[in-house]
Amino acid sequence: MANGQNETHIAFDIDGENSSDLMGRFGISGGVEDASFSSYASIQWQGAPWSMHRETLSGEIKTETGKGFISNVGGAGRLLGLFSIDSIIRKMQLDFSGVFDNGLAFDYIRGSGKLDNGIFTTDDIKMKALAGDMFIQGKANLVDETVDARVRFNPDLTSGIPVLTAFAIAPPTALYVLAISTALAPVVDVFTQINYQIKGPIDAPVVSEKSRFTGEFVVPESMGESDSK
């Protein structure tokens, strides 16, 4: 107790091999599935443990997952973090159909942030997915439950023909049937970076595209060989 007021401090360090098992214990399905995880938090606030004053929240949070899959995105927003990764994926499903329709496989998700007077700020959230790399910077206000963040996505154009076709500026038929079965190496104009903004209520933010950058990509013969197997 400080200055006649209760003060609560919670610290935890938790590791596990399967995020689905952890979510299942809370009766929750969907979200981040089948991923190992490691999370650390040290948080404090004015008030009793059962009476949190969010405007006094302070501390730090770090988390990292191993390889896994994000599925059932509609309705899993809170589980996927304060920056509504599910809303981003839903936007990408509309923009780049065929790549994100069934969810998103990833190699890892990692990030950290600080809490100050109920506002969580981060500049290092990264998801390394099979379709590309996603970076998130911004803040989430836990007092008024709003978010204001920026997202950068760099597609991995070497991960397969479906991804390359989705991010090609003018996708031809199977990239000219892979340039006549790779007899010629096609040079394709592609999107190399897409930038989004997430803003609004944490439960239902608006995800808007801010900019796209383009470049040329030479389709390697190995891509055609791996795709045909």
Side-chain angles (χ1 to χ4, degrees), residues 81-113:
L82 300 174
F83 298 99
S84 299
I85 293 177
D86 66 326
S87 297
I88 303 167
I89 296 175
R90 198 156 32 234
K91 171 67 172 171
M92 289 181 167
Q93 285 174 334
L94 294 174
D95 291 350
F96 307 105
S97 61
V99 177
F100 303 98
D101 290 351
N102 297 318
L104 181 61
F106 60 85
D107 289 330
Y108 64 76
I109 304 173
R110 62 174 63 133
S112 64

Side-chain angles (χ1 to χ4, degrees), residues 128-132 154-165 167 175 190-191 217-224 226-227:
K128 184 171 182 59
L130 298 186
N154 298 107
D156 181 0
L157 302 171
T158 66
S159 60
I161 293 298
V163 172
L164 179 57
T165 301
F167 289 97
L175 298 177
V190 293
F191 296 115
F217 178 76
V218 178
V219 182
E221 291 188 14
S222 59
M223 181 178 288
S226 61
D227 196 69

Side-chain angles (χ1 to χ4, degrees), residues 59-77:
E60 61 178 332
I61 300 172
K62 298 179 182 179
T63 189
E64 180 172 352
T65 76
K67 185 177 294 187
F69 190 80
I70 297 176
S71 67
N72 191 25
V73 293

Side-chain angles (χ1 to χ4, degrees), residues 196-215:
Y196 297 100
Q197 181 180 48
I198 314 169
K199 194 166 187 177
I202 288 177
D203 282 340
V206 174
V207 179
S208 56
E209 183 180 311
K210 306 306 290 184
S211 61
R212 297 187 183 194
F213 294 90
T214 63

